[in-house]
Amino acid sequence: MYGLVNRAIQQMVCTHHGVDIWQRIKEKANLADLDFFSTYQAYPDDVTHRLVAAASEELGLTAAEIMHAFGEYWITYTATEGYEQLLESTGETLPEFLDHLDTMHARAGLAFPQLQPPSFRCRHADGRSLDLEYRSRRQGLAPMVVGLLHGLGRRFSTPVQVEQTASRDHGDGQDLFHIRYGEDASPS
Ligand code: 1DX
């Protein structure tokens, strides 16, 4: 994945846990010799997975918990790192944004040809819930998608509930999420 992704992990860890913990995570991931991640360089996915595994050990959280937190963080991180316009152009509400995720990735892919974008498909039920299909060349990122959805909820000031209803890991063919949003999703 592009270095931007690893930089975002670094920023999240440094902000929430400090630079010393980050240094330990980098060493544990066998990346001690690396001075920095270049935003526009494509790194092997393995680098990202090693960082998540090392952070998991160092912070005493599961890899899924870290991916969830990272998904949420990604929305605000990219908004402040030059991609606010990309996010703005994708939608003004949560359901509209989710409808246009493939368009967003197509747009990003024009500028960054080594992007390997996932693909999303929405089935809208009523004005308050939808099913979201997620397909990716990558494996193991479903927990990040759940975090992304919560990050979008925060961006649009919309309460969200996410339930994974099918999982590629469990042989269901693809990942499927049922999403409730708006007043229906606020804790009662
Ligand atoms: F719901 O791959 C909301 O490297 C969502 O299965 C989901 O292949 C927002 F400059 C610049 C660059 C760079 C901008 F080239 C990416 F570096 C992209 C910014 C999307 C904001 C996908 C990142 C592929 C890297 C992937 C989970 C899951 C998508 C990460 C989140 C807004 C982005 O993103 C999977 C790669 C951007 C850029 C956004 C992504 C790669 C998303 C979302 N993806 C690179």
Side-chain angles (χ1 to χ4, degrees):
M1 286 200 269
Y2 274 102
L4 183 71
V5 172
N6 300 319
R7 288 177 78 96
I9 293 177
Q10 173 172 0
Q11 184 75 250
M12 178 179 77
V13 169
C14 287
T15 302
H16 295 151
H17 306 281
V19 70
D20 295 349
I21 302 262
W22 169 250
Q23 216 48 247
R24 295 230 293 267
I25 288 169
K26 243 177 74 177
E27 279 164 31
K28 201 164 246 178
N30 278 320
L31 296 166
D33 292 345
L34 200 75
D35 289 323
F36 54 85
F37 295 106
S38 302
T39 301
Y40 304 111
Q41 185 183 325
Y43 292 84
D45 285 0
D46 176 60
V47 168
T48 306
H49 287 122
R50 266 152 51 205
L51 283 175
V52 172
S56 163
E57 284 186 40
E58 203 59 47
L59 302 173
L61 298 167
T62 65
E65 285 169 330
I66 289 172
M67 292 307 287
H68 186 294
F70 179 54
E72 248 189 282
Y73 190 79
W74 177 256
I75 302 298
T76 49
Y77 180 80
T78 52
T80 60
E81 290 299 309
Y83 304 102
E84 172 59 32
Q85 283 209 15
L86 180 69
L87 299 177
E88 262 175 30
S89 69
T90 303
E92 292 186 342
T93 66
L94 178 72
E96 192 196 340
F97 194 100
L98 295 179
D99 260 337
H100 300 141
L101 279 172
D102 285 8
T103 310
M104 177 198 73
H105 282 111
R107 196 170 288 151
L110 289 176
F112 311 115
Q114 294 189 77
L115 201 75
Q116 299 196 358
S119 178
F120 294 90
R121 220 177 120 132
C122 270
R123 262 192 212 84
H124 298 271
D126 40 40
R128 32 186 157 153
S129 69
L130 58 87
D131 289 291
L132 183 71
E133 261 177 32
Y134 160 59
R135 286 191 174 76
S136 176
R137 303 190 209 184
R138 305 189 167 98
Q139 214 158 354
L141 298 184
M144 181 177 177
V145 173
V146 178
L148 285 162
L149 292 165
H150 282 98
L152 289 173
R154 186 134 48 92
R155 177 176 170 86
F156 296 115
S157 307
T158 306
V160 289
Q161 279 174 13
V162 182
E163 185 189 345
Q164 188 164 359
T165 49
S167 162
R168 190 170 74 164
D169 291 351
H170 298 151
D172 300 329
Q174 81 255 305
D175 293 309
L176 191 63
F177 303 93
H178 184 67
I179 300 156
R180 253 182 258 275
Y181 58 91
E183 293 313 306
D184 283 16
S186 45
S188 52

